Amino acid sequence: MSESIPRVAVFRPDDDRLAAARSLLTELGVDPVADPMLAVEPTDERPRDADYVVFTSKTGAELVADAGWTPGDATVVAIGPKTADALESAGYTVDLCPEEYTSAGLVDLLAGRVEGASVEVARSDHGSPVLLDGLRDAAADVNETVLYRLARPEGSGKSAALAAAGDLDAACFTSSLTVEHLLDAAAERGVREEAIRGLNDAVVGAIGEPTRETAASLGVEVDVVPAEATFEALARETVALLRETA
């Protein structure tokens, strides 16, 4: 661990989410290493008409609002409060939101409601199959519309170099793709194995079991999975454990 202010990598998209993440980490007394691992590439698609329309991200909510999408008589479902806030800020009414802000939480929420109903899932190109499979198992007529693709931004990966050099104290992964993209960036620099060792010497936090499982499959040990699937919970619990182990 570095001897000065602890360095904590954050991989949010380079927009207001990254700014908010940096601000929170600074308030928590650590040095945020902002290394965006996700760039949003809109597809210009819109959700189809359906009985239920499910949104799984703030980004998707903002894109449909910008496109002028109208829900008609659909029941609008948001995966969590950030997505719900984005939808409501755009003038939509959010009808349902699960207690657990995950794909599995959405399935638990909808499974008893959607038999024989049409369900439109509007999300990125890297959505978990858990949601589609679970809704189909619940006898829903499911369609997925890809609203945007997630790419790795050019020039990303400074946190990989820090991890490889042993100069990263913690990392906050917000999706499986952020883990994969970080290690891809490390591989491009010829330091993939060194970066994995560096991460395993640091405190690693991950939102949700799917992200933890992806990290584990790639050799990265996760120390923190917050009960609440929000970046604030992830950051606070990761920094708390970092303080405990310092």
Side-chain angles (χ1 to χ4, degrees):
M1 182 178 294
S2 61
E3 296 179 359
S4 57
I5 299 175
R7 288 182 176 138
V8 179
V10 55
F11 311 109
R12 308 244 70 188
D14 192 7
D15 54 23
D16 60 324
R17 286 166 290 186
L18 184 61
R22 292 180 66 174
S23 178
L24 174 60
L25 289 169
T26 299
E27 289 175 10
L28 293 174
V30 299
D31 180 15
V33 177
D35 194 6
M37 284 292 158
L38 300 175
V40 174
E41 298 179 348
T43 63
D44 298 325
E45 296 291 332
R46 297 187 187 190
R48 296 184 186 180
D49 292 339
D51 298 316
Y52 293 79
V53 181
V54 181
F55 294 94
T56 64
S57 69
K58 175 177 180 284
T59 299
E62 292 170 343
L63 287 173
V64 298
D66 289 344
W69 171 76
T70 55
D73 295 328
T75 297
V76 176
V77 186
I79 195 170
K82 297 293 186 182
T83 305
D85 287 347
L87 287 164
E88 290 172 348
S89 294
Y92 300 112
T93 298
V94 175
D95 301 295
L96 296 171
C97 191
E99 293 184 6
E100 178 186 330
Y101 313 145
T102 64
S103 292
L106 283 168
V107 172
D108 289 341
L109 171 70
L110 296 173
R113 305 170 186 258
V114 297
E115 181 177 355
S118 57
V119 181
E120 174 74 358
V121 176
R123 59 182 186 174
S124 81
D125 63 330
H126 283 83
S128 166
V130 168
L131 179 55
L132 302 185
D133 292 346
L135 293 174
R136 286 172 178 143
D137 287 345
D141 178 13
V142 182
N143 182 72
E144 179 186 36
T145 293
V146 174
L147 299 176
Y148 59 100
R149 298 184 178 87
L150 292 169
R152 179 162 62 88
E154 184 176 351
S156 62
K158 62 182 178 181
S159 58
L162 289 172
D167 292 331
L168 194 66
D169 300 297
C172 294
F173 291 106
T174 51
S175 68
S176 292
L177 202 55
T178 56
V179 183
E180 295 167 358
H181 281 181
L182 175 64
L183 295 184
D184 288 345
E188 285 183 358
R189 289 163 169 75
V191 294
R192 181 184 174 96
E193 294 306 316
E194 294 88 342
I196 291 173
R197 285 198 293 270
L199 287 169
N200 288 338
D201 287 338
V203 174
V204 174
I207 283 184
E209 280 301 309
T211 304
R212 185 199 66 75
E213 290 169 4
T214 296
S217 72
L218 296 171
V220 177
E221 300 167 6
V222 171
D223 305 291
V224 175
V225 180
E228 183 180 279
T230 64
F231 180 79
E232 181 172 354
L234 174 65
R236 291 188 181 280
E237 293 186 28
T238 300
V239 172
L241 182 57
L242 178 60
R243 299 294 188 197
E244 290 175 11
T245 56

